[in-house]
Amino acid sequence: MAAVTQAAAGTNADTDAAVIRASLADPDRFASIYDRYAGMLYRYAYQRVGAEVADDVVAEAFLSAFRGRASYDLDRQDARPWLFGILTREIATQHRREQARYRAMARSTYETVQDGPADRVAARVVADAARGPLAAALAGLAPGDRDVLLLVAWGQLSYDEVADALNIPQGTVGSRLNRARRKVRKAMGGFDPTTTMEENDEL
């Protein structure tokens, strides 16, 4: 994951921190941060609040990041945890929409037609069958537990990156994640799809 981030960031002189530092004198430079991470943040927001809201929360998150860039800790070369933290706060303002999305998904029946290798089709069928119960399980989680679970599973952040994003101790990340996964496993009859969510694009 770090290797991918560094590859996206380019040379050391072009790290996220370097770009943010340069943007203090030349605001247009901040567009590079948007280019690097807008797609990633949109996919995460889409899964949590749906297409109608995702554009707005991502736009607000980047606007907030731009306005607050002077307070960014330039010792942190990777801006992803910072951006995901801002986005999580924006998503929190859409709590009711997120809950409604999960409830609607839990009630829905999905029919998927896919071409391709048999094992890939089988994996998609399993994912479709799990989608409704998983959505119901996510709706039942405390907001803080859900944030941690989905930042790990969908945002693909490490424990320390989640701690940084949410400004909480790493131990709290671990306890919230364990509690959330325990509740998801119980709701899913012992199966925890969040451990392999990073392989799927959506619920």
Side-chain angles (χ1 to χ4, degrees):
M1 186 159 50
V4 171
T5 302
Q6 286 302 317
T11 65
N12 190 56
D14 201 28
T15 62
D16 296 342
V19 170
I20 293 171
R21 181 188 293 111
S23 76
L24 298 177
D26 180 5
D28 289 344
R29 291 290 303 278
F30 197 80
S32 294
I33 299 297
Y34 180 88
D35 292 341
R36 289 172 186 176
Y37 299 117
M40 179 187 301
L41 267 62
Y42 176 81
R43 287 189 295 273
Y44 178 80
Y46 172 85
Q47 291 175 98
R48 292 198 59 170
V49 294
E52 291 183 0
V53 182
D55 280 328
D56 290 341
V57 294
V58 171
E60 287 297 324
F62 275 105
L63 180 59
S64 180
F66 176 77
R67 289 172 173 168
R69 69 192 189 284
S71 63
Y72 181 76
D73 182 356
L74 294 172
D75 288 333
R76 298 182 181 276
Q77 300 301 307
D78 183 356
R80 286 178 313 120
W82 177 61
L83 293 171
F84 269 106
I86 295 171
L87 180 60
T88 298
R89 291 191 290 276
E90 291 295 336
I91 289 173
T93 68
Q94 301 292 332
H95 174 70
R96 290 183 180 178
R97 282 182 178 269
E98 183 178 18
Q99 291 291 90
R101 173 174 165 78
Y102 292 143
R103 287 194 295 268
M105 293 176 75
R107 293 192 300 267
S108 297
T109 300
Y110 290 82
E111 294 182 2
T112 301
V113 177
Q114 270 208 343
D115 297 320
D119 56 348
R120 186 173 180 181
V121 174
R124 185 73 265 174
V125 169
V126 170
D128 287 344
R131 185 181 283 129
L134 175 58
L138 292 176
L141 295 178
D145 292 354
R146 184 166 57 242
D147 287 341
V148 168
L149 176 66
L150 297 183
L151 284 170
V152 171
W154 287 344
Q156 298 183 41
L157 299 187
S158 66
Y159 283 28
D160 60 325
E161 287 171 338
V162 173
D164 185 21
L166 301 180
N167 194 28
I168 58 177
Q170 189 169 339
T172 301
V173 171
S175 62
R176 288 185 183 180
L177 183 62
N178 289 337
R179 182 167 56 242
R181 283 186 163 157
R182 187 166 59 249
K183 290 180 179 179
V184 168
R185 281 196 298 271
K186 182 177 180 180
M188 300 290 292
F191 172 56
D192 181 6
T194 67
T195 59
T196 56
M197 273 184 180
E198 65 275 9
E199 297 175 2
N200 300 314
D201 291 332
E202 57 184 87
L203 274 173

